[in-house]
Amino acid sequence: MSAVPPHLPVEGQDSAAVLARLRDNRHDDADWRSGRIFGLIFHPDDDELEELLAEVSREYLAENALNPVRFPSLARLEREAADMVAGLLHGTPGTGGLTSGGTESIFMSVLVARETARKRGIDDPVLVTAITAHPAFAKACHLLGMRQIRVPVDEGYRLVVEEMRAAVGPDTAMVVASAPCYPYGVIDPVEEVAAIAREAGVLCHVDACLGGMMLPFWERLGEPVPPWDFRVDGVTSISADLHKYGYSFKGASVLLHRDVEQYRTQWWFDDGAWGGGLYGSPTAAGTRPAPPIAGAWAALRHLGEDGYLRQATKVRDATRRLMAGIEAIEGLSITSTPDLCVFQFGSEDVDMKAVAEALAEQGWYPNRQPGGLHLMVSPFHVRVADEFLAALTAAVDLARDGRRSDAGPATYGGTARPGGTGGS
Ligand SMILES: Cc1ncc(COP(=O)(O)O)c(C=O)c1O
């Protein structure tokens, strides 16, 4: 913003000045409202929902969900939101709650696995995932002092069941399947993974951070959806993000367990010996902001089953158009058979980094990853699918005409800068 190092102003500024500076600072942010970004934002194209969420966050601006006795309304909203999702995923009410996002849901699921394994006398619990599992699992293992074994995927990018079976041993705490995985949008064979878990007597987490709020409606639309939720015997927990295809604003995910005992294991209690009284908390955070909880509840109530189905229809239509259009561009192909509205496309002979750069110059931002470009399709994209395909065709032509990329290796989320953020 300025060359002078930031400092606390000696005199406070009025709100108009602060807002002007805040807005000025946004000059290089992605313009997500135009639907030209395919990650980080899940654009519902719903003005009424946006107004509702803004209103809800004002309503709960200051409240703190840390203490459900002081703000019981928040405890009720959290319970209701988690139970609404449990209903969708064929889970049991009262066996889960909200977290701040997919990473925290995954972190808590890994914590539960570690504690459950320790109770079984395992000192050095191990997590077994596919190589395509979200980095949140590696991060959780790092933070919780656990080891992760990553098993390969097949040519369709789905976890290889026999490799997982071979990797599971006496120290295994939990096996993981993605529904779907981020890079390729394919669902791991959840039934087989859960069967391995049952045989080994270990936990089985399904990472449905991406798919949890879309797959139930994809199924209702008659799309082929392999079994992945609590209907699968052996699945013991599921993460599903409300700030992705739940269309709430950031800071909301659900972590559901099959049984309440597992949910209890998630909680931390301090009896008061520290001097500050009884302290109980179900997530990694202490103070918990109220707006994401109230916002998630409001989005679920506002959209309801018919609203989510309407959104899923738009996403499916946009996905079909985009996939067919991409396949029709000479030299490009979708690199997997996605189970949902998330996929990668690439090329044998076109420099995809050059394509990405040409697209960026036109203000389009597909996510960049090592195997090509990646799209997560939102309801709004149905409006701009044709425009994107035209821009993509032009970008491919430019790349064919000899344009070369001068960027470094692609990183997750499409930024080559160190510390770049992920594409969720
Ligand atoms: C499959 C999957 N799991 C977990 C996450 C992590 O979610 P968050 O970024 O909300 O922490 C993501 C994010 O994209 C994801 O795609």
Side-chain angles (χ1 to χ4, degrees), residues 331-344:
L332 296 194
S333 58
I334 315 290
T335 45
S336 60
T337 309
D339 288 310
L340 204 60
C341 46
V342 175
F343 60 92
Q344 172 185 273

Side-chain angles (χ1 to χ4, degrees), residues 101-103 106 134 180-182 207 209-210 241 243-244 412 423-424:
T103 299
I106 287 169
H134 192 274
C181 70
Y182 173 90
D207 174 12
C209 286
L210 254 185
D241 289 359
H243 63 201
K244 293 191 173 73
Y412 172 71
S424 65

